[in-house]
Amino acid sequence: MLDQIRDLYQEVVFDHNRNPRNFRVMEDANRKIEGFNPLCGDRITLYAKVIDGLIEDVSFQGSGCAISTASASLMTEIVKGQTEQEAEQLFELFHRITTGKNGDEVNLEALGKLAVLAGVRAYPARVKCATLAWHSLQSALKNDGETVSTE
Amino acid sequence: MSQPQPRFDLTKIRADFPILSQTINRHPLVYLDNAASTQKPKPVIDAIRKVYEEDYSNVHRGVHTLSQRCTDLFESAREKVQTFLNAKHGHEIIFVRGTTEAINLVAQTYGRKNVGPGDEILITAMEHHSNIVPWQMLCEAAGAVLKVAPISGTGELLLDGFAALLSERTRLVSVTHMSNALGTINPVEQIIAMAHARGIPVLLDGAQSAPHMTVDVQALDCDFYAFSGHKLYGPSGIGVLYGKESLLKAMPAWQGGGDMIRRVTFEKTEYNELPYKFEAGTPNIADTIALGAAIDYVNAIGVDAIAEHEHHLLAYATERALQIPELTLIGTAPHKGAILSFTLDHIHPHDIGTLLDQLGIAIRAGHHCAMPVMDFFEVPATARASFGLYNTCEEVDVLMDGIRQVIKMFG
Ligand SMILES: Cc1ncc(COP(=O)(O)O)c(C=O)c1O
């Protein structure tokens, strides 16, 4: 019945939704940003410690759907230890894949662990859930310190 | 619980709605998003086609046959709305785009004229954004204050709190007749009596009430009443503002243009009489005529019979929902329309919406354009099933089974 949607709601997604990684307030963060998805009311607070262009630590807090929570959780795992530039490039790829047309060529391998979320492209109404954390990270890295919204 | 049969032939009714007989994601469509918008029966769709194929012309302008015919059809839709609301005069019915535009019209004409610095507009904590934002805009422009009457944990208006906020500075009370996020039906008779005791006019947001209960604006004695055609099985892009003649006459015009004038020179313009004063430009002709067809359709079934059927659906759905331990109902007023807003433990409404859609079930997940209501109940969003005249108890069963599957999937 609900099996068809396992392409999006994979075990990994449920796992990260149930036990989000890096789900904490970061006291010594030097970047902090509030993300907001006005469509569903999801809120995320993203913390990062960026030193010399290196993302030394990243964490988040907030409430959201399984897709946005899992996406944020996966993101923090992946970008920790990356340079700002690497994170930026990964987001670009992720964004392209999640918003792309279904027929587009996708290089899932380059996405690594993030590939589990690629299925969201078949559910356009939910793409913003998957990208909220990334938009927030992007703003945090730019350090423009405002609330970001997915609109 | 036994399932009482509606006073109309549900199978026949469902056959009137072509869109309902399709499958979504390989399941029969179960359409439970009626509070957002309803589907259209064949007579409404046919009315639109007939206008364009046989009767179409601009209205109120030509002397030729089609213009006359189309004007007659257009004006007869106004009469249908007048009868539907039991308004005293046809010219108290103003055609607008929908509830949102109706409220903005009142805010920008009645409001601009009568609301000044320090004055107050009183709404409630359960309003749709379209009955909040126009007043915020007015208050900002006029230096006035927006007051918000409190609600209870069941989602009912606290009448004492409401009474306490009525003051000699209150210029208008604007409340929803029925909440789209909670289903609550407000005690508008009392609200109107309390406001009128102080000489304050009352606007009712009827977006949700018009499709689900008999509305008599004279018996209610409301001063303004707004509704949208698309929630009443009619087309989108057409709605109604009812206003008492005396108030409408005293209000300044809103948009300027053709139709709303009597005489124009470059020095001065004389405005047209009601209702045309508020209907500038070529109106939404075909959809207005089709709104008339929607009202005919609803009347043929009977608004009371529809209300009774929806009440049974709500009672049945509520009973079944309460058997699901992980489910919390948001909005449990005793006096409610057929709206079931709920949350599930540890499952976000967006996930519920996407997963139910996989089973062909269309519900709404989100804040329902009522973010302050979500804040009050401390939820980011709710899932909402809302029923219409064509829904069945079997569809309620499908919904409840779907909810159980979602819970199981999330483990
Ligand atoms: C209570 C209420 N008021 C106002 C509106 C706005 O109606 P519309 O979008 O048709 O202008 C709606 C519908 O969304 C509603 O449910």
Side-chain angles (χ1 to χ4, degrees), chain B residues 72-92:
Chain B
D72 289 347
L73 285 169
F74 184 84
E75 288 305 324
S76 95
R78 197 186 308 274
E79 282 168 29
K80 287 173 188 179
V81 174
Q82 179 198 347
T83 312
F84 186 67
L85 297 180
N86 192 31
K88 195 163 173 196
H89 306 290
H91 58 253
E92 293 174 320

Side-chain angles (χ1 to χ4, degrees), chain B residues 35-36 98-101 128 130 176 178 180 205 207-208 228 230-231:
Chain B
T99 308
T100 303
E101 189 168 83
H128 188 280
S130 67
T176 192
M178 172 175 155
N180 67 308
D205 172 349
Q208 295 298 335
S228 303
H230 68 94
K231 296 185 201 269

Side-chain angles (χ1 to χ4, degrees), chain A residues 1-2 4-6 8-9 14 17-18 36-43 63-67 123 125-126 129, chain B residues 25-27 346 348 350-356 358-359 365-367 371 375 380-381 401-402 405-406 409-411:
Chain A
M1 296 292 268
L2 279 174
Q4 297 137 250
I5 204 173
R6 286 281 174 189
L8 178 58
Y9 285 82
F14 284 120
N17 182 49
R18 253 177 246 127
F36 181 51
N37 180 350
L39 204 66
C40 59
D42 285 359
R43 278 163 204 286
S63 73
C65 63
I67 305 302
Y123 306 88
R126 305 299 303 279
C129 308
Chain B
N25 295 319
R26 279 166 287 163
H27 294 274
H346 312 301
H348 192 283
H350 258 193
D351 296 315
I352 303 172
T354 297
L355 294 173
L356 290 181
Q358 289 301 303
L359 303 170
H367 51 64
M371 285 190 188
D375 291 343
D401 180 56
Q405 285 190 55
V406 171
M409 186 173 187
F410 265 72

Side-chain angles (χ1 to χ4, degrees), chain B residues 28-347:
Chain B
L29 166 64
V30 174
Y31 186 78
L32 300 176
D33 195 16
N34 295 287
S37 205
T38 53
Q39 302 299 349
K40 321 303 171 199
K42 268 194 228 122
V44 169
I45 300 166
D46 290 345
I48 296 173
R49 189 176 38 238
K50 180 176 172 294
V51 183
Y52 286 128
E53 286 183 355
E54 298 173 22
D55 308 313
Y56 184 77
S57 165
N58 209 328
V59 291
H60 306 137
R61 295 187 187 183
V63 292
H64 58 78
T65 303
L66 280 183
S67 176
Q68 192 54 53
R69 200 194 288 164
C70 202
T71 302
D72 289 347
L73 285 169
F74 184 84
E75 288 305 324
S76 95
R78 197 186 308 274
E79 282 168 29
K80 287 173 188 179
V81 174
Q82 179 198 347
T83 312
F84 186 67
L85 297 180
N86 192 31
K88 195 163 173 196
H89 306 290
H91 58 253
E92 293 174 320
I93 304 300
I94 317 284
F95 285 121
V96 290
R97 270 197 303 134
T99 308
T100 303
E101 189 168 83
I103 296 173
N104 277 281
L105 191 161
V106 176
Q108 289 175 37
T109 59
Y110 181 86
R112 288 257 167 104
K113 180 164 183 204
N114 297 291
V115 178
D119 286 342
E120 295 167 3
I121 304 287
L122 179 55
I123 61 171
T124 78
M126 67 173 96
E127 300 306 325
H128 188 280
H129 294 162
S130 67
N131 197 25
I132 301 173
V133 184
W135 306 118
Q136 285 175 329
M137 291 164 74
L138 170 67
C139 287
E140 197 173 334
V145 185
L146 186 62
K147 295 279 180 181
V148 183
I151 59 175
S152 72
T154 55
E156 288 168 276
L157 180 66
L158 294 170
L159 267 179
D160 290 347
F162 174 82
L165 288 171
L166 282 172
S167 80
E168 62 275 14
R169 300 309 303 262
T170 313
R171 292 292 167 264
L172 186 78
V173 168
S174 191
V175 297
T176 192
H177 196 176
M178 172 175 155
S179 157
N180 67 308
L182 303 166
T184 312
I185 295 171
N186 273 320
V188 292
E189 293 84 355
Q190 281 164 280
I191 289 171
I192 291 165
M194 287 156 86
H196 282 183
R198 288 171 164 269
I200 304 162
V202 177
L203 183 154
L204 293 184
D205 172 349
Q208 295 298 335
S209 59
H212 305 295
M213 65 183 85
T214 302
V215 173
D216 181 333
V217 291
Q218 289 189 76
L220 286 171
D221 199 24
C222 58
D223 301 276
F224 299 104
Y225 183 91
F227 75 90
S228 303
H230 68 94
K231 296 185 201 269
L232 185 68
Y233 311 98
S236 56
I238 184 68
V240 167
L241 171 68
Y242 157 83
K244 279 184 186 162
E245 181 187 41
S246 55
L247 287 167
L248 292 176
K249 270 193 171 155
M251 278 153 58
W254 184 31
Q255 296 173 331
D259 265 349
M260 56 78 71
I261 43 79
R262 181 174 287 144
R263 200 176 119 81
V264 177
T265 65
F266 285 113
E267 287 69 42
K268 189 174 160 40
T269 292
E270 231 177 275
Y271 297 129
N272 204 340
E273 62 198 12
L274 290 175
Y276 310 110
K277 178 170 121 181
F278 294 107
E279 294 179 355
T282 299
N284 185 348
I285 299 167
D287 292 323
T288 306
I289 293 167
L291 172 61
I295 289 175
D296 287 343
Y297 183 82
V298 164
N299 281 338
I301 301 169
V303 180
D304 290 337
I306 294 170
E308 186 183 283
H309 172 56
E310 290 174 348
H311 186 76
H312 288 147
L313 287 172
L314 178 70
Y316 180 61
T318 304
E319 187 194 84
R320 293 230 32 203
L322 290 173
Q323 292 163 359
I324 301 176
E326 297 87 350
L327 185 150
T328 306
L329 290 176
I330 306 287
T332 48
H335 200 33
K336 251 183 86 167
I339 285 176
L340 199 75
S341 227
F342 62 93
T343 56
L344 297 179
D345 293 349
H346 312 301
I347 309 179

